Amino acid sequence: MAILKSTNKGKLPNPDVRGREEMMGLSGMEIFLQLKLYESSENLRNKCAACYRQFNKMEHLVEHMRVSYHSNHEPKCGICQKHCRSFESLREHLIGPLPKAECERIFKEQGCDICLVILNSRYALQLHREKCQFSRGNNGLLYRMANLGIQDELRIDNSRGKVVSLACKMVGGGSDGSLDLCARVCLIDENEKIIFQTYVKPHLPVTNYRYETTGIRQEFLRDAMPLKQIQRKIQDYLCNGEPIWQIRSKGGKARILIGHGLDHDLKCLEVEDTAKYPPLMKTSKLSNSLKYLTKAYLGYDIQTGIQDPYEDCVAAMRLYMRMRSQAHKVENYPLASDTQNRNNFASGRQSELEKMTPEKMLELSRSDYYCWCLDK
């Protein structure tokens, strides 16, 4: 069976006289195989260099790149280099119900199931695993609760770290006790040291103290600090001397606040301003629980029995520090929203983009979220 020479690189002969003669010299099966080879070559050209999706036409790939915001900040398989939108997608790719077979095989031998990196050997994996897995630490719950009181080191200065972690515990209000009222708050620094913690006096009557999980009793809140006072202290500390309307996402004196379910905690504290980190969300773009994230990405359990906001603060801070330490390629303008990148995939460049290779388009693509590695 004769196939066209490899110098044709899988393309059909040009529609000139010689090309027609070459086609006429092929049998039906040979023509079929040649067409399949041509289609394969075209599909490879129209294959996304990040997520490996294939498209029938180059214009479809361009549109995909325009809306996908692929970047070096996305979680990436250390074996096949496929980009995933979240770590949960990457986890499914490696060890999910229907993983990629070759990646699954290698990952079972050399992959860390916590941070999902690939090591060179089983021995290297063993050493890495010991450092990768965290423990709950030596700060005993009973000790911290017995010595709760009010700890307040909220000062407007630059001597402390830039990043702080916040967590709250809620009691119930309303006729059925389902309304969340902030009754305890904790704030820690990057070294997991408590900056501020206190019980909170809600502005509405408490109808359910939820003692089984909060450990809070009525007498703990009787002389507690009022919510409005706490809200003002925390907001002033986070702004760190900057007017709230001047705060920028990058630079400036204002501190970075991290936590789990911050939108809910801040709402209960009557402080607004929060953002989500897509790589730690579910594949359905919903939030994972802090309990799950801590077990999956730090390797230990939290929120068993009476829950302590300090423990939640520590887990959130450790997750942040782990994500911030990712070694991503440094770019001058890492976001699609940066002025220099806004026209990268403009419709006016359609014909120019269709002539590019998938790899070249990936180089142009930028993230649509702020990666924590940029805080370094």
Side-chain angles (χ1 to χ4, degrees):
M1 182 184 295
I3 301 295
L4 293 181
K5 294 180 181 179
S6 60
T7 52
N8 287 326
K9 296 183 180 179
K11 295 182 179 179
L12 288 173
N14 293 326
D16 54 14
V17 175
R18 182 183 175 189
R20 288 195 295 271
E21 290 175 350
E22 289 178 354
M23 289 295 289
M24 290 176 66
L26 297 174
S27 69
M29 178 58 73
E30 289 170 333
I31 292 174
F32 173 76
L33 291 174
Q34 187 62 56
L35 287 170
K36 296 300 290 184
L37 183 62
Y38 172 78
E39 290 172 1
S40 175
S41 175
E42 286 299 294
N43 285 338
L44 188 62
R45 167 171 160 71
N46 301 339
K47 181 179 180 180
C48 176
C51 67
Y52 300 160
R53 284 185 61 187
Q54 294 189 10
F55 300 88
N56 292 330
K57 296 181 179 180
M58 194 62 178
E59 62 189 85
H60 298 158
L61 173 58
V62 172
E63 181 58 28
H64 165 76
M65 295 301 294
R66 184 174 285 132
V67 300
S68 64
Y69 299 102
H70 288 309
S71 75
N72 64 79
H73 297 290
E74 292 177 307
K76 187 166 61 174
C77 175
I79 303 163
C80 71
Q81 304 303 305
K82 177 183 178 181
H83 289 232
C84 297
R85 191 59 176 170
S86 68
F87 283 102
E88 289 303 291
S89 297
L90 177 57
R91 192 177 292 276
E92 290 182 5
H93 169 80
L94 293 168
I95 52 177
L98 295 172
K100 185 176 179 182
E102 182 63 15
C103 295
E104 179 190 31
R105 183 185 65 79
I106 296 175
F107 187 80
K108 283 182 177 178
E109 295 288 325
Q110 299 167 224
C112 174
D113 61 347
I114 296 178
C115 66
L116 305 180
V117 302
I118 310 298
L119 284 300
N120 295 328
S121 65
R122 285 187 176 184
Y123 179 68
L125 175 61
Q126 182 180 352
L127 295 179
H128 165 86
R129 193 68 161 67
E130 294 175 358
K131 297 178 181 179
C132 192
Q133 184 171 0
F134 285 83
S135 66
R136 295 180 70 172
N138 298 319
N139 296 294
L141 171 61
L142 295 178
Y143 171 81
R144 287 197 304 280
M145 291 193 70
N147 294 274
L148 180 60
I150 296 176
Q151 290 181 246
D152 185 359
E153 295 184 26
L154 299 182
R155 303 288 183 270
I156 297 176
D157 62 60
N158 293 311
S159 60
R160 283 191 176 275
K162 179 81 172 177
V163 183
V164 293
S165 176
L166 177 141
C168 300
K169 287 301 170 187
M170 312 294 174
V171 292
S175 59
D176 59 354
S178 62
L179 178 65
D180 284 341
L181 303 174
C182 182
R184 193 174 169 202
V185 63
C186 182
L187 202 67
I188 69 169
D189 62 17
E190 294 182 44
N191 298 314
E192 301 177 11
K193 180 181 178 182
I194 295 174
I195 303 170
F196 179 73
Q197 75 167 342
T198 183
Y199 286 116
V200 182
K201 189 171 186 177
H203 50 47
L204 294 175
V206 179
T207 54
N208 184 357
Y209 286 88
R210 304 174 184 174
Y211 178 78
E212 293 77 10
T213 55
T214 66
I216 296 174
R217 299 184 185 277
Q218 181 178 1
E219 56 267 26
F220 296 172
L221 306 184
R222 188 172 294 124
D223 298 318
M225 191 179 293
L227 176 65
K228 286 290 185 182
Q229 183 179 349
I230 293 172
Q231 176 245 330
R232 186 170 60 254
K233 289 174 69 70
I234 291 177
Q235 185 164 290
D236 289 347
Y237 180 74
L238 294 176
C239 291
N240 200 28
E242 278 191 340
I244 197 165
W245 59 87
Q246 290 184 4
I247 292 175
R248 303 181 300 280
S249 59
K250 292 183 285 185
K253 298 178 182 179
R255 292 182 167 88
I256 299 170
L257 178 66
I258 62 106
H260 183 270
L262 267 183
D263 50 352
H264 181 251
D265 285 355
L266 293 179
K267 182 178 180 180
C268 292
L269 283 170
E270 299 182 5
V271 178
E272 299 292 337
D273 189 21
T274 184
K276 297 184 184 298
Y277 188 62
L280 284 179
M281 299 179 75
K282 295 180 181 179
T283 53
S284 58
K285 298 184 180 181
L286 298 174
S287 296
N288 280 298
S289 68
L290 182 60
K291 183 180 180 71
Y292 169 79
L293 292 173
T294 304
K295 182 63 176 177
Y297 297 98
L298 300 177
Y300 69 98
D301 291 303
I302 63 168
Q303 296 180 349
T304 56
I306 291 178
Q307 299 174 16
D308 184 6
Y310 173 80
E311 188 174 58
D312 291 355
C313 280
V314 169
M317 180 63 77
R318 289 175 175 178
L319 284 166
Y320 169 80
M321 299 298 282
R322 172 150 286 177
M323 297 298 111
R324 192 178 77 173
S325 66
Q326 295 176 98
H328 293 157
K329 178 183 176 183
V330 177
E331 296 168 327
N332 290 332
Y333 311 107
L335 297 176
S337 56
D338 290 335
T339 304
Q340 294 81 357
N341 300 321
R342 285 177 183 166
N343 294 323
N344 282 357
F345 289 94
S347 56
R349 298 186 65 187
Q350 183 71 20
S351 58
E352 177 189 353
L353 292 166
E354 289 181 16
K355 295 175 183 177
M356 291 183 183
T357 64
E359 290 75 19
K360 180 63 177 177
M361 279 194 283
L362 180 57
E363 289 180 13
L364 292 177
S365 187
R366 293 293 185 269
S367 175
D368 62 342
Y369 66 87
Y370 183 87
C371 183
W372 288 342
C373 78
L374 300 173
D375 289 339
K376 292 186 294 187

